[in-house]
Amino acid sequence: MSQITVTGGKPLVGRVDIKGAKNLVTKAMVAALLGESPSILRDVPFISDVEIVSRLLQLHGVKIEHSADGVMHLDPSNVASARMIDIDAHAGSSRIPILFCGPLLHRLGEAFIPGLGGCHIGDRPIDYHFEVLRKFGAVIEELENGTRLSAPKGLKGAKISLPYPSVGATEQVLLTATRAQGITELTGAAIEPEIMDLISILQKMGAIISVDTDRVIRIEGVAELNGFDHRALFDRNEAASWACAALATKGEIFVGGARQQEMSMFLNVFRKVGGAFEIQDDGIRFYHPGGDLRPVVLETDVHPGFMTDWQQPLVVALTQAKGLSIIHETVYENRFGFTDALVQMGAQIQIYRECLGGTACRFGQRNFNHSAVISGPTELKAADIRVPDLRGGFSHMVAALAAQGTSVVTNVQLISRGYEHFLQKLTDLGADFTYSE
Ligand code: EPZ
C-alpha cells in the first residue's frame, strides 16, 4: 500500500495541465469496439481506470497503443471472445465493464461481464442497466462470478424510460441503441457534458442521435459504424478538485485545459464561497483572493446541477469558511463517509439523515446520512488518514496539505484511478511531501 507523508500549511501555487475526462475517455474506448475500422482518441490520461479498460479491450482482441502525448489508437478489426477466467481477473476493479454489454453483443452475440468495482459511495446497483438491456432483447444470466449475456434474436430498438437520469444507464442505451435495429427513444436521460461528448463520438462513427428537450434522446439504429478521431472533453472533476485545493490552501493554481462552459455551475459556487478565478484561452486560474471565505447552502444534482463529484473537495475548502454551510447530497446516498477523517483533523462537520437546505430527495426518510453541516473556520491539524475512495481521497490529501503539521496518508494509489501524474502535480505546486510504496 502506498503512502504519502505530507507537511501542510503551505499554499499550493503553480500550474497543472489536465487531459480528457476519466468519465468520458473510458466510455469512448468502449465505443471504439462498435466500429469496423480503427479509432483515435486524443488527450487520454495515464490513469489506472484507463489501464483496466485497455486490458479488457485487449482481452477481446482490440489492439491498443497509448503514446506518451496521450494519443490512443484502438484497432477493433479482430474482436473476439475472451476467456471468462481472464475477464474475471478484473473483477472488482472498475464499473466500466458493464458498458461492454451492448458493443460485445453487437460484435460477438455474447458477453461476459466480471463483478464490478468502483468507489464505495452508495449501493450503486445496476438494475437500470439490466432493465435497459432486456428491453433491447438481451438475455441476462447472473452467475456467481459475473454476468453472461446473449441476444438470440439480435438487439432491437426500444422505448425506454429511466426512473432517474443515471449517467451509466444513459451510456448503456447509447452504446447499445446505435447499432440496434430500428428506433430507440430514451426518456429521463442524463445529459452531462461527458454524455454529450460520447454522442459526438458516436455521431462521428456514423450514428444518428438527436437530443431533444426534457431529457429525451432518440437514436436511429444503423447497421454499421466506423472508427472515430476525437479529442476528449477535459476532466472537469479534476479541474474542480484543483480549484478547491487552491482555495483550501490559500494558494493559486492555473488549470491548463479547463474550460468555462462545462464548469459554469461550479464557478458560480466557487465565487459565492469567496474564491476568485480568471478565464483564459488555455485554462482557468483559480485563487484565494484573501479575506474570509463565505459559507454556502447547496445540493448536488445531475447536470446542469452542482455535480456530486465536486462536493468532496469543496467540503475541505468550506471548513475554512466563516459560518455554517449546508450540503445536501442527492445523487449518492452514502458520500459523506470521507468527512470522518476531516473531523479527526479538527473540522466541525455534522451529518444528518434529513434532506437539509433544499428540496426533499429520494433518500429522505430512508436513514441515509446524506446531508452535511460544516461549521467554520476551523484550523485543520495533521492526522494519519487512509484514503477511502477517489474523490474522498483527493479531499483528504488537500486537507493534509492545508493542515498544520505532518500527516501520513495511506492507500494513495486509489487517487491515481482518476488523477494523472498526481504526485508530479503536487511537486509542481510546491507541496512538501515524501512518497513511499
Ligand atoms: C458516473 O457514475 C460517474 N462514474 C461518477 O463518477 C459520477 O459521480 C456519477 O456518474 C454521477 O455523475 C463514471 O462515469 C465511471 P449514475 P455512474 O448511474 O454512471 C443510481 C467519480 O468519482 N443507479 O449516474 O455509476 C445510483 O446508485 C465517479 O469519478 C441505480 O439506482 O452513476 C446513483 O444513486 C464516482 N441503478 C444514481 O443512480 C442503476 O442501475 C446515479 O448513478 C444505476 C444507477
Side-chain angles (χ1 to χ4, degrees):
M1 195 166 37
S2 50
Q3 71 173 48
I4 291 181
T5 304
V6 49
T7 303
K10 196 175 157 203
L12 292 181
V13 177
R15 173 181 178 130
V16 294
D17 286 293
I18 55 175
K19 288 215 188 82
K22 163 180 92 68
N23 293 346
L24 174 271
V25 162
T26 44
K27 288 82 181 266
M29 291 168 68
V30 179
L33 258 182
L34 287 165
E36 300 297 327
S37 51
S39 291
I40 301 175
L41 186 58
R42 301 174 193 275
D43 273 354
V44 179
F46 285 86
I47 52 176
S48 47
D49 270 18
V50 164
E51 263 172 52
I52 293 162
V53 178
S54 296
R55 275 191 240 123
L56 277 168
L57 286 170
Q58 283 162 338
L59 281 178
H60 288 92
V62 180
K63 274 201 207 129
I64 298 185
E65 280 166 37
H66 189 182
S67 61
D69 58 354
V71 179
M72 180 175 271
H73 290 257
L74 303 107
D75 183 353
S77 315
N78 294 309
V79 170
S81 295
R83 294 191 318 158
M84 255 163 84
I85 188 169
D86 294 332
I87 299 176
D88 196 37
H90 297 282
S93 56
S94 159
R95 297 192 69 70
I96 310 299
I98 190 73
L99 296 176
F100 278 63
C101 296
L104 285 181
L105 286 173
H106 283 303
R107 292 299 301 251
L108 303 167
E110 59 171 11
F112 173 71
I113 307 300
L116 301 181
C119 293
H120 301 294
I121 49 182
D123 252 3
R124 307 192 78 184
I126 44 172
D127 51 335
Y128 303 166
H129 291 256
F130 285 165
E131 198 48 40
V132 160
L133 288 160
R134 284 196 186 99
K135 287 240 160 110
F136 282 108
V139 174
I140 300 171
E141 196 187 343
E142 291 194 54
L143 311 174
E144 221 171 84
N145 57 346
T147 307
R148 190 171 22 218
L149 298 99
S150 58
K153 295 184 187 156
L155 296 171
K156 296 201 174 58
K159 270 193 178 260
I160 298 168
S161 175
L162 290 177
Y164 183 81
S166 151
V167 169
T170 300
E171 291 159 344
Q172 185 74 266
V173 172
L174 290 169
L175 291 167
T176 308
T178 43
R179 276 187 57 177
Q181 209 189 325
I183 293 177
T184 295
E185 185 186 88
L186 172 65
T187 51
I191 49 165
E192 268 62 8
E194 291 77 14
I195 289 179
M196 294 302 139
D197 210 33
L198 181 63
I199 291 176
S200 302
I201 290 172
L202 291 167
Q203 190 177 47
K204 283 180 178 174
M205 297 176 81
I208 301 171
I209 304 175
S210 59
V211 182
D212 297 346
T213 46
D214 296 333
R215 300 188 177 278
V216 177
I217 300 182
R218 279 194 184 76
I219 305 131
E220 275 180 50
V222 294
E224 210 175 283
L225 293 171
N226 295 311
F228 60 83
D229 185 338
H230 189 79
R231 185 172 300 282
L233 172 75
F234 77 99
D235 198 316
R236 57 201 183 107
N237 292 342
E238 179 167 4
S241 301
W242 290 117
C244 293
L247 204 54
T249 63
K250 296 198 167 78
E252 175 182 336
I253 302 180
F254 181 82
V255 183
R259 287 201 315 236
Q260 178 178 16
Q261 200 182 328
E262 293 81 4
M263 295 195 72
S264 78
M265 178 51 107
F266 176 83
L267 295 172
N268 286 339
V269 171
F270 194 76
R271 177 162 279 156
K272 277 205 250 180
V273 168
F277 57 86
E278 190 185 285
I279 311 285
Q280 297 184 10
D281 281 350
D282 58 342
I284 305 179
R285 185 167 73 92
F286 295 96
Y287 59 101
H288 190 308
D292 289 334
L293 294 185
R294 294 182 287 273
V296 73
V297 176
L298 66 82
E299 54 187 31
T300 64
D301 206 348
V302 293
H303 189 75
F306 189 88
M307 275 204 86
T308 168
D309 301 307
W310 299 336
Q311 173 261 101
Q312 288 142 311
L314 182 72
V315 165
V316 182
L318 290 177
T319 65
Q320 305 309 304
K322 195 173 178 188
L324 281 188
S325 295
I326 299 176
I327 300 202
H328 180 204
E329 168 63 61
T330 76
V331 180
Y332 287 111
E333 68 275 26
N334 189 17
R335 212 171 189 179
F336 281 124
F338 76 102
T339 58
D340 289 350
L342 301 184
V343 170
Q344 190 193 336
M345 296 175 84
Q348 281 184 23
I349 303 176
Q350 272 163 333
I351 307 295
Y352 293 86
R353 281 175 301 170
E354 289 76 11
C355 300
L356 293 187
T359 40
C361 79
R362 65 209 161 103
F363 304 138
Q365 316 293 327
R366 289 178 58 202
N367 280 331
F368 294 125
N369 286 323
H370 71 292
S371 294
V373 176
I374 304 130
S375 169
T378 45
E379 185 170 290
L380 297 176
K381 302 181 297 287
D384 293 348
I385 329 165
R386 187 173 192 280
V387 164
D389 62 64
L390 176 62
R391 309 286 167 206
F394 185 95
S395 306
H396 288 170
M397 273 306 303
V398 173
L401 287 158
Q404 294 302 323
T406 301
S407 301
V408 177
V409 187
T410 50
N411 211 24
V412 286
Q413 74 282 354
L414 263 190
I415 299 177
S416 66
R417 275 194 46 221
Y419 295 87
E420 187 190 37
H421 306 323
F422 179 63
L423 300 178
Q424 184 56 49
K425 284 174 180 161
L426 287 183
T427 304
D428 294 346
L429 295 172
D432 183 355
F433 72 97
T434 54
Y435 173 77
S436 58
E437 292 280 341

